[in-house]
Amino acid sequence: MREVELAIIGGGSAGMAAARGAYENGVKDILIIERAKEYGGILEQCIHNGFGLHTFHEELSGPAYAEKYYGLIKDIPGIRFEYESAVMNIGDDNVLTVQNQEGYEKIKAKAVILSTGSRERSAGAIGLRGDRPQGVYTAGTAQQYLNKEGFLVGKRVFVLGSGDIGLIMARRMTLEGAEVVGVAELMPYSNGLARNIKQCLEDFDIPLYLSHTVKAIHGKKRLESISLIAVDENRKEIPGSEQIIPVDCLLLSVGLIPENELIEDLGIEMDGRTKGSVVDSNYMTTREGIFACGNALHVHDLVDYVSEEGYKCGRAAADYIHNGKETQEKNKSVLHKGISYMVPQYFYKGKDIEFMFRVTGIYKNAKIHVWGEGFDKHLPQLSLVPSEMVKIRLRKEDLEHVNGEIHWEVEE
Amino acid sequence: MNLICIRCPRGCHLTVTREGDEVNVTGNSCPRGIEYGRSEMINPERTLTTTVAIISKDHRRLPVITSKPIPKGRVLDVVKSLKGVTVTAPVHMGDVIVKDALGLGADIIASRSIE
């Protein structure tokens, strides 16, 4: 059986950053297991620009970001990539069953990092009513077809959901000659970045229907039309507001879900909100030696944040490889009004900790109230929206007297 | 004029006013916002990303980007002008694929390498 110090599952932005972090913290035997033919993960199909302002201080396309990041690690002998190689199973003592070009192999690692990214929610996942005609795609699938293969999947397109991939694809398909007739968002606010509403929809006069959804799709073999319907403040369809819009293509941009099939049977504690694993402030899951980062842990807004998190996760995995498991008791974040999730869910004292979370609604000039034994903070925030992840760093001095838990809420 | 800055994911809400040649931008968090507000008022520009065909072992499309922003009204024309372009691997990130596209002063650049 092959043995490595650190196995990283997935060679996208999180995995590459984790390798860099672990290497810089003293691990010299790192294997990145990647199921595709190349590094980069989802970045390779995200050809638009806007990536990398934090990491490289310039605006890059997705593929360029991946190539630049790869450039930081490609000449390090202690980091090896194995492509077209998929982990089938994680067994006891971190023994991975890997299917690769040679066949089937067992690889034992002192620590494992899950950087497997996320998947898109599909028509089935949102219970879309109607048949399943040709012409209904997730936005990311349409993106892959267009940007990697050169196929335009529709000529008259409607987009359900205002997630960033859907907005980006509305522009992309318009540029390639399709007519994008509208984008519907169930919520009264957009889920995408404001800049994408501007440069992907407004630039091309594509209407955004807030508080609307697609009630049903019509067509047997090929999609022929959709029924667009308005919803009230409780997201209930408003009778009589229905309109039929003829289209040959519906793109779904209704959210991403961390991909965690590999660990489903391992008994690792999962977070019902993030759909990722529960981790401590060292990014370790509730199973010793298994770590998680990037979109596999929780869905991020920016690749730069994924790289930051991956890097920190890699460093923490290196600490574990050298020094073993943290011996102090875990503390936990308890969430109250306005906070939808928090990562990490558990933390150890003695270090500054960056908490990442999302809020449940739109707040202007609100405060984040965080308190526990020995500290009580009210942190003013100009603007809080669910589509933007919030990051708050608490200093080790703040947390010094914490005894088991701290509390979080949005204070209006 | 109220604008959302598109120069970074933060998306600042800008207020842009113009008096003669003087353009005033407020609401920005960095100098890029001023730059964007001015340009959007006087001559709106966009960086274009798209793909061209490539002949290589594993890839069919090469992602490309304009070397600098081009006038917003010419974006579709440039995409159309690239329909017939086919390159052959190897290509390196930063290679010029089309020089001075449609005479707009911007080159079409490979935004990744393909061996």
Side-chain angles (χ1 to χ4, degrees):
Chain A
M1 180 162 51
R2 190 145 59 118
E3 292 192 12
V4 297
E5 283 208 82
L6 174 61
I8 297 176
I9 307 176
S13 43
M16 290 198 286
R20 181 163 166 250
Y23 180 82
E24 288 182 6
N25 203 12
V27 180
K28 307 295 179 200
D29 178 21
I30 301 167
L31 177 65
I32 301 180
I33 303 167
E34 169 55 53
R35 71 183 166 194
K37 285 184 177 178
E38 56 183 3
Y39 62 82
I42 204 68
L43 285 169
E44 295 305 330
Q45 69 184 58
C46 299
I47 64 159
H48 53 282
N49 72 330
F51 301 91
L53 273 171
H54 296 263
T55 312
F56 296 114
H57 308 291
E58 60 178 315
E59 253 188 297
L60 299 164
S61 73
Y65 183 94
E67 192 164 329
K68 274 204 105 154
Y69 210 98
Y70 179 69
L72 300 175
I73 59 172
K74 73 176 161 86
D75 295 325
I76 299 174
I79 300 177
R80 281 171 303 122
F81 277 84
E82 280 180 17
Y83 296 111
E84 294 183 88
S85 184
V87 177
M88 311 306 291
N89 174 45
I90 302 175
D92 293 339
D93 302 321
N94 294 340
V95 174
L96 308 179
T97 305
V98 179
Q99 179 82 47
N100 56 29
Q101 294 298 293
E102 315 295 310
Y104 155 103
E105 194 187 359
K106 299 258 185 202
I107 299 174
K108 183 170 162 51
K110 286 185 184 150
V112 175
I113 294 178
L114 303 162
S115 47
T116 46
S118 58
R119 284 190 178 176
E120 292 179 281
R121 290 176 74 202
S122 61
I126 59 165
L128 192 64
R129 278 167 278 179
D131 288 317
R132 288 291 176 263
Q134 194 187 353
V136 182
Y137 302 90
T138 60
T141 300
Q143 186 180 48
Q144 185 186 354
Y145 280 140
L146 186 52
N147 293 348
K148 301 277 286 181
E149 309 296 333
F151 295 126
L152 188 62
V153 295
K155 291 213 166 70
R156 208 177 133 82
V157 185
F158 196 86
V159 183
L160 174 57
S162 62
D164 285 308
I165 315 173
L167 301 178
I168 295 279
M169 280 311 291
R171 172 177 63 182
R172 187 76 189 101
M173 292 184 78
T174 305
L175 289 180
E176 291 295 334
E179 185 192 355
V180 179
V181 294
V183 176
E185 170 58 52
L186 183 66
M187 305 302 285
Y189 48 81
S190 157
N191 269 311
L193 295 171
R195 72 185 312 222
N196 286 334
I197 299 292
K198 165 75 185 126
Q199 64 184 354
C200 299
L201 300 187
E202 289 174 13
D203 270 11
F204 301 98
D205 301 317
I206 299 170
L208 172 61
Y209 298 93
L210 294 174
S211 298
H212 278 73
T213 191
V214 171
K215 184 184 176 192
I217 57 177
H218 314 288
K220 281 276 179 215
K221 285 184 94 169
R222 178 85 206 182
L223 182 65
E224 287 162 10
S225 62
I226 57 149
S227 298
L228 179 68
I229 192 164
V231 298
D232 64 18
E233 61 272 23
N234 301 314
R235 289 183 255 162
K236 282 254 172 5
E237 292 171 359
I238 300 171
S241 68
E242 194 174 330
Q243 51 176 308
I244 304 269
I245 301 180
V247 288
D248 65 356
C249 178
L250 175 68
L251 296 189
L252 305 174
S253 180
V254 288
L256 300 170
I257 303 171
E259 177 162 340
N260 281 300
E261 252 175 28
L262 256 182
I263 58 167
E264 261 171 12
D265 303 327
L266 294 185
I268 286 175
E269 186 182 347
M270 302 300 284
D271 186 320
R273 298 309 303 256
T274 60
K275 313 284 183 208
S277 44
V278 167
V279 291
D280 62 27
S281 44
N282 298 324
Y283 296 97
M284 197 195 285
T285 66
T286 53
R287 179 149 146 173
E288 187 176 339
I290 297 186
F291 296 76
C293 60
N295 279 359
L297 178 59
H298 59 130
V299 174
H300 292 63
D301 309 338
L302 298 186
V303 70
D304 300 80
Y305 295 164
V306 169
S307 293
E308 268 174 44
E309 184 175 279
Y311 183 83
K312 287 195 280 184
C313 175
R315 287 196 71 92
D319 282 337
Y320 168 76
I321 289 169
H322 296 136
N323 308 321
K325 195 173 185 274
E326 188 76 55
T327 48
Q328 50 167 312
E329 285 292 312
K330 277 179 194 175
N331 301 281
K332 141 184 193 195
S333 276
V334 181
L335 310 183
H336 303 279
K337 194 177 81 74
I339 312 276
S340 81
Y341 79 70
M342 181 74 57
V343 172
Q345 290 84 351
Y346 296 109
F347 64 94
Y348 298 107
K349 295 192 282 185
K351 274 185 193 158
D352 293 357
I353 294 169
E354 186 166 69
F355 292 90
M356 287 166 287
F357 60 94
R358 286 182 198 273
V359 293
T360 53
I362 294 182
Y363 302 91
K364 291 273 173 228
N365 297 313
K367 288 184 177 126
I368 298 296
H369 181 202
V370 49
W371 72 98
E373 202 87 4
F375 85 109
D376 191 349
K377 283 181 176 292
H378 301 261
L379 308 161
Q381 310 287 317
L382 276 179
S383 149
L384 294 167
V385 291
S387 60
E388 283 176 33
M389 194 170 80
V390 191
K391 302 207 283 182
I392 284 181
R393 196 178 182 83
L394 294 180
R395 291 174 309 136
K396 67 177 178 195
E397 296 80 13
D398 296 329
L399 300 168
E400 202 176 339
H401 301 291
V402 166
N403 185 13
E405 57 190 40
I406 62 171
H407 300 263
W408 298 83
E409 69 180 5
V410 179
E411 208 175 64
E412 282 185 84
Chain B
M1 180 162 62
N2 291 317
L3 283 179
I4 286 163
C5 181
I6 61 169
R7 295 296 297 275
C8 94
R10 187 166 177 159
C12 291
H13 290 255
L14 308 180
T15 304
V16 187
T17 51
R18 183 176 188 174
E19 281 176 47
D21 289 343
E22 192 91 338
V23 177
N24 233 315
V25 181
T26 54
N28 57 304
S29 322
C30 80
R32 298 160 61 87
I34 299 182
E35 210 177 84
Y36 172 74
R38 283 210 178 116
S39 137
E40 198 67 5
M41 186 65 115
I42 295 161
N43 174 30
E45 291 183 318
R46 296 290 180 267
T47 298
L48 166 68
T49 58
T50 182
T51 65
V52 299
I54 186 166
I55 298 165
S56 85
K57 181 169 156 279
D58 290 326
H59 296 89
R60 293 185 183 87
R61 305 299 298 182
L62 170 71
V64 294
I65 186 165
T66 49
S67 59
K68 61 186 190 90
I70 57 173
K72 187 173 142 185
R74 300 302 303 279
V75 165
L76 278 164
D77 297 335
V78 173
V79 174
K80 273 192 198 122
S81 77
L82 297 174
K83 289 278 187 225
V85 175
T86 301
V87 295
T88 306
V91 170
H92 296 103
M93 181 164 69
D95 284 359
V96 175
I97 304 301
V98 176
K99 187 112 192 99
D100 191 15
L102 300 184
L104 297 170
D107 298 335
I108 306 298
I109 303 282
S111 85
R112 63 164 289 174
S113 305
I114 290 179
E115 292 307 319

